[in-house]
Amino acid sequence: MLYHFITRVDLRDDAIGCLVELCEKKISDTGSKLQLIQALRITDCMPGLVAQTMMQVRPMLAAGDESFDDGTGFLSRLTDLCQVVSLELIDVISSMLAGEATPSAATMTALNMLHTCVPMLLELLSCGHSGISLKVCEYSIRKYVELLKKHPPPAVPRTHLPQLLNIVVNRLEYHPVAYNFDEQGDYENTVCLLRKQLLIVYRNLASLDRDTVMQQIIDRVRICISSNVTWPQVEATLRILYTFGEELGTAKTSIFKQTDHEFCKLMSELFNSNLAAQHTHQAVSYTFLEVVERYYQFFTTFSETRPLLLQLTLGPSGISHPNPKVRGKACATFASLAKSARQMMSESSDVIVANVERLLAANTLEISDRCALYETVGVLISQSEGKVSQTYKYLKIMSEPLMVNLNAALQAPSDAYSLEVLLAAQSTHRTAGHMHMPCLCPVLYSCMCILTV
């Protein structure tokens, strides 16, 4: 009767609601719970309903329209039902497997039902509606991946793992038109939350099957380098590469010492390619800088690649980028590299100081960005122990413009630069120890960066 009501537009939402309540009924005995889910026949009827509804709304979602009309509203209700059934089955399976050396017939039944639900969940995850994708990813998909991690094959097969990996990366892609990077609205906030959940799932998948994930990244990066792809595809690929670095952890250093390792070859291909120059969208440039920072061990291992590092951070894809957020990220990356890879950076100190001087003279950077560059030079000065002439040269290059600006501020008429004005310029900047401290004004703080690092 309930499934008959689902075919009626005026009753289908209430019918779905009844099925959700029945499925959520609290039953302590897992066997009885499984029998209830079987009796409701949800896993038999849902695939057709989801497929039919997706056919109706997919054209609208592909155009970036996420308004909730009757079609997407009903899809949201179907999503709730799919989620409830999947979560209940996962709980049943977890409880059963906890007390079994080998899966029983009842457990196998529950697993088969779950494997009927997973394709529906993947279909909903891959739909163009960020709210629905977020709902599925945040709950049922994450629970499903946790089940895979807790119970490796043959207890719980990983049949859907390759498809899930591809869908996660595809859903990471920004909509090239609908997403507004300059103004964060409800849609943009939902997309940010969705990407956060997708990356949590991806990290779990990476810890679940590192080799498969690494091969996916290698394949996708090489496609981006060699093919004509869109900037959202490039950004999503760089994002999973960045995320994978967290899973690798300290293993990155040992990998880069193996010149014949496929991942080491990949990083060489990436940094030597013109991918960053081809795709100058702010999202791509920003993520590329994050990749550079996370995989800095590559540059410390291969000394011949260090000019590439300076080019990537100081060039048009970095500090010289037209977008202020990218310039800020480049300055912060530069300061971070100066601390994490001091020896490497100090070997190029003359080139770095000359470029910093040029960038500061252009006066296109925000105050916090300029302070990050002064902080970088301060770190380089601290590395030039015993080289008095070099230390004096760097201090002179960086301090003279600051002293001129400070003198101008102090000599200005009181109504133009009063003490209150200087004090009002207080802001918070990050220092070498990753602590935060207020500064009297940007000029004074810049002097402190150089003289106290």
Side-chain angles (χ1 to χ4, degrees):
M1 181 65 72
L2 285 173
Y3 291 105
H4 171 71
F5 290 152
I6 288 175
T7 62
R8 293 180 51 176
V9 175
D10 58 330
L11 295 175
R12 62 187 185 181
D13 284 357
D14 291 334
I16 292 289
C18 288
L19 287 170
V20 169
E21 290 184 14
L22 286 170
C23 195
E24 286 183 321
K25 186 175 177 62
K26 299 296 181 184
I27 301 176
S28 57
D29 180 63
T30 54
S32 299
K33 183 71 176 186
L34 179 59
Q35 290 177 0
L36 171 62
I37 298 174
Q38 284 180 289
L40 292 173
R41 297 183 57 237
I42 296 174
T43 55
D44 297 329
C45 301
M46 282 296 293
L49 282 170
V50 172
Q52 182 181 358
T53 308
M54 283 299 300
M55 285 182 63
Q56 296 172 359
V57 302
R58 195 176 288 279
M60 178 183 64
L61 295 175
D65 183 4
E66 297 199 2
S67 57
F68 267 87
D69 64 357
D70 290 339
T72 49
F74 182 56
L75 183 62
S76 181
R77 297 296 292 160
L78 285 177
T79 302
D80 293 339
L81 183 56
C82 286
Q83 289 237 95
V84 168
V85 176
S86 302
L87 292 170
E88 294 293 340
L89 284 171
I90 289 171
D91 287 342
V92 167
I93 293 167
S94 298
S95 298
M96 288 181 167
L97 286 175
E100 299 173 348
T102 57
S104 64
T107 303
M108 292 304 299
T109 299
L111 281 168
N112 290 334
M113 293 174 69
L114 177 62
H115 288 147
T116 303
C117 292
V118 171
M120 291 187 288
L121 294 173
L122 296 180
E123 179 80 1
L124 294 167
L125 179 64
S126 64
C127 82
H129 195 286
S130 55
I132 289 174
S133 296
L134 172 61
K135 189 186 297 185
V136 173
C137 186
E138 192 172 12
Y139 297 104
S140 49
I141 293 295
R142 283 186 63 176
K143 275 286 246 191
Y144 173 65
V145 174
E146 288 171 9
L147 179 70
L148 295 179
K149 289 180 67 176
K150 189 175 181 180
H151 301 285
V156 180
R158 296 174 179 176
T159 311
H160 302 287
L161 184 60
Q163 185 184 4
L164 176 56
L165 273 171
N166 287 327
I167 290 174
V168 167
V169 181
N170 291 336
R171 282 306 279 131
L172 277 170
E173 294 179 18
Y174 288 108
H175 192 286
V177 178
Y179 193 92
N180 187 347
F181 286 89
D182 298 321
E183 186 175 344
Q184 294 285 301
D186 291 340
Y187 167 73
E188 286 75 19
N189 290 333
T190 303
V191 170
C192 289
L193 290 173
L194 171 60
R195 282 170 58 91
K196 180 180 179 181
Q197 292 299 322
L198 288 168
L199 292 171
I200 291 173
V201 170
Y202 199 82
R203 280 195 293 271
N204 284 327
L205 292 174
S207 64
L208 188 68
D209 192 341
R210 178 187 287 189
D211 292 340
T212 300
V213 171
M214 181 182 288
Q215 190 58 52
Q216 182 202 41
I217 292 172
I218 290 172
D219 293 340
R220 290 188 69 104
V221 170
R222 284 179 172 157
I223 288 173
C224 289
I225 292 172
S226 61
S227 306
N228 185 21
V229 297
T230 63
W231 71 259
Q233 291 173 301
V234 174
E235 194 281 334
T237 300
L238 292 173
R239 179 55 58 188
I240 61 170
L241 174 60
Y242 171 80
T243 302
F244 187 60
E246 185 175 336
E247 166 60 24
L248 286 177
T250 56
K252 293 194 293 290
T253 303
S254 61
I255 287 176
F256 292 146
K257 289 180 180 178
Q258 305 171 47
T259 55
D260 59 341
H261 195 290
E262 201 64 21
F263 194 76
C264 182
K265 293 179 182 177
L266 175 78
M267 299 308 294
S268 178
E269 292 171 24
L270 174 63
F271 291 134
N272 280 285
S273 73
N274 61 348
L275 188 66
Q278 284 180 331
H279 298 275
T280 58
H281 189 280
Q282 65 182 77
V284 176
S285 298
Y286 193 97
T287 307
F288 200 97
L289 287 166
E290 289 189 307
V291 170
V292 169
E293 184 175 0
R294 174 147 288 181
Y295 291 95
Y296 76 89
Q297 295 94 334
F298 175 82
F299 299 100
T300 59
T301 304
F302 301 99
S303 57
E304 68 274 11
T305 64
R306 291 170 191 174
L308 283 174
L309 176 63
L310 298 180
Q311 179 183 338
L312 291 169
T313 52
L314 294 171
S317 301
I319 297 177
S320 300
H321 195 280
N323 184 271
K325 291 182 180 178
V326 176
R327 293 198 299 268
K329 177 59 183 175
C331 291
T333 300
F334 213 49
S336 174
L337 290 171
K339 300 163 196 168
S340 56
R342 291 191 175 204
Q343 181 62 35
M344 178 187 72
M345 295 291 278
S346 64
E347 291 173 2
S348 305
S349 56
D350 284 344
V351 177
I352 292 173
V353 172
N355 276 278
V356 168
E357 183 183 18
R358 171 182 60 81
L359 290 165
L360 293 173
N363 201 29
T364 58
L365 299 175
E366 299 292 330
I367 292 172
S368 58
D369 302 337
R370 295 201 297 270
C371 289
L373 292 182
Y374 278 113
E375 188 176 343
T376 301
V377 176
V379 173
L380 296 177
I381 290 174
S382 70
Q383 288 292 105
S384 61
E385 297 177 359
K387 301 177 182 178
V388 178
S389 60
Q390 185 183 62
T391 300
Y392 176 76
K393 182 175 98 173
Y394 292 167
L395 283 172
K396 188 173 186 294
I397 290 173
M398 305 308 296
S399 299
E400 279 188 347
L402 291 174
M403 295 303 104
V404 170
N405 291 337
L406 181 59
N407 184 61
L410 295 175
Q411 296 297 325
S414 58
D415 58 342
Y417 289 99
S418 63
L419 180 60
E420 288 76 10
V421 172
L422 288 175
L423 291 174
Q426 288 188 17
S427 57
T428 304
H429 297 287
R430 193 162 62 177
T431 64
H434 299 284
M435 301 294 289
H436 288 74
M437 62 174 290
C439 58
L440 286 177
C441 69
V443 173
L444 291 176
Y445 179 70
S446 300
C447 293
M448 292 167 59
C449 285
I450 292 178
L451 299 174
T452 61
V453 172

